Amino acid sequence: MNSGSQSTPSRVGNLLAGLRESVAAAEFGAADSSDLPFENRLAVVRLGMATSLFYSLRTKHAPTAAHCLRVALSCSAWAQRLGLDEDTRDRIEVAALLHDLGKIGIPDRILRKPGKLSVDEQLTMELIPELGCEILRGCTGDHELLDIIRYANTWYDSRRHGDGPRGSALPIGSRMLAIADAFDAMTTDTVYRPAMSRERAIQELNQHASTQFDPELVGEFSRMLEERPEMLHRIVVDRWLRQLQDNAAPSIWGTVAESPASRKSASSVVHKREVLFFQQMFANQKDGVAFTDGEGTITHWNASMQRLTAIAADAIVGQRFSNDSLRLRDEDLVRDEDACLIRDCLAQGSAIVRSMMIEQPGKTPTPVQVHVSPVAGSVPGVYGTVVTVRDLSDQATLQERLEALHHQTTQDPLTGVANRAHFDNQLEDLTEATIAGGPSFSLIICDIDHFKRVNDVHGHPAGDEALKSFAAVLRAHSRDGDTVARYGGEEFLLLAPNCDNATASKRAEAIRIALESTPLPSLGGEAVTASFGVTEFQSGDTAETVLARSDRALLKAKDNGRNRVIQLGAGNVMQSPADETVATRGWLEWLTGSGPIENGEFDIVSPVPVDLVIEKLRGFIADHNAEIISVDENQVSIKMNATYSRGGRRRADQQMALRVQLTLSESREERSTGRSFNRTNVHAQLQPIRNRDRRGQDVAACFSQVINSLRSYLMGELMRPDSA
């Protein structure tokens, strides 16, 4: 490891001093959910003339407008936290809201291109900041506002902009906007890359601190997300998008904005009912269904299409249909970048039916039948196309298994969903399969808010109806292969195979909205709300740690105001090349080699500041049910159990008690550019507590589990001591 001057151990010691008390106490402090004045000020007061420009951007490309609003809300919250003056906050909010305004001047063929951009097209996209400034000059002469947008894409340590500003000379709004913009891009689905978990995105920001981003602001942004993760909640964006939209946009269902008088008419009621029928049919189709306009731009994308292609609706709607971007291949799996079923259908004016294969990374190609039909009206011309994709793989065995899993002995008698015993078995099986190299999975744990009040005010029969209704909402939002279970009382779980952190969070948010929008007759027409904790399996996990981490996220959601979704964990990210080398050699070779490795000694280097590493360490201790033995200066010693398997017995039946001693230190790494950035080094030493375990054959597996888990929780990279 290359390191600069070491930090003072007393600073780390001061941060560690409160670790024992904070682990024993409540995990996070309460937050007043009403303390969000920045939202009202942004949507109601700050827009002004920018409103029409924002509408123009939304008309050009709705996903870009939604992205800009999310970035604006996060910058507004951040500016308030930093205590910036009112004028600076105003400029940062409006600049963030309109930082992609220049896309209005980018041709649709580039903006909506489903494939990778050519060099010339990339150069065209780099003109967006300057084009945005040109548009804004027509309505403002505020040079500070324009500079925030102009330099939002400038790297903190840039060498590309000649004599332009860099480092701390860049406007603080530009430096903040660059971080918030990158974070939202990394945590949003795209056609070619699924969304990252929040912790993984934070790790990426810290790894590029001092080069692409301001290191001090990256640290502050990371702390804000750690303390108040609900600030950037997607529902806030959706709420303000609805408020900003005065008139309902025409949709494929034919809905238009209605006057108060028309809403009261009988024909309007019938029309709205028919729209609901069509929407439900579209959403619940077992076949994948998508709609495009007359130019091949995708306008609708149902859940089955998302399941078949592994591409989220948020990532594909607004993009042009392309066989290659959807990974559609002919039956011989031949890739043709120029092939496009939509283009052929529109050119021929007739339906196309073709047997094809859909490829997904790490999976066997799925045989499908694709049916593309043109949609024409009474006037000449084609309105668009309807695409139907039918899965032709054999599902009979899977369906029989799913039905068998729900027989009487595995069901909760009140709600009809799975019971706790069945859930525990499913979680254990999924964990073992993932550890063996299978696909990842996510867990959503949810709890009805203030359920005791429901029983006290309306009676226990009303409470039972609320539980049944909640179970029905969860079932309605489950997919094939999911497990919905009642864990006890008003606590429910949804176990989702082949689902990452970001997707699980979006699903939990959809469930939350559906629940609060479902009135219950037994409660006098009122609806109940629920809090949600979400996590994904990550390296080093056991079934117990997955459940504990999701439960900790649930408690954080409750502490931060209830009726919200909180996600924890970095997710099942790919190993770095260094880690793959270690895995290839094998942990046993590590442990039996020469030097300190034989004592379970290793280093983890994290790009985040030491205070955030300690916060993550709190989570590691809580989720592993570990016991703090001692805290001394910059060291902490804990006792924990690691699990292993032998002779076919379940992992939970095999445990080894370990002593884990961690020494934390801060250092600064010098980059080739001459700039430096802070990082945290965690030196760890593992030792079995019982003498009989020290030479046992299972010590390597236990050490491996703890090393992988620490690396995941601390968002760091593993390094051999002899490379330090």
Side-chain angles (χ1 to χ4, degrees), residues 416-430:
V417 298
N419 58 21
R420 179 170 180 167
H422 178 61
F423 166 80
D424 287 340
N425 289 333
Q426 290 292 97
L427 178 61
E428 189 75 39
D429 290 344
L430 273 179

Side-chain angles (χ1 to χ4, degrees), residues 134-149:
E134 287 295 327
I135 296 172
L136 283 171
R137 284 194 190 98
C139 60
T140 180
D142 191 329
H143 295 291
E144 294 182 44
L145 170 63
L146 296 176
D147 283 346
I148 292 175
I149 296 176

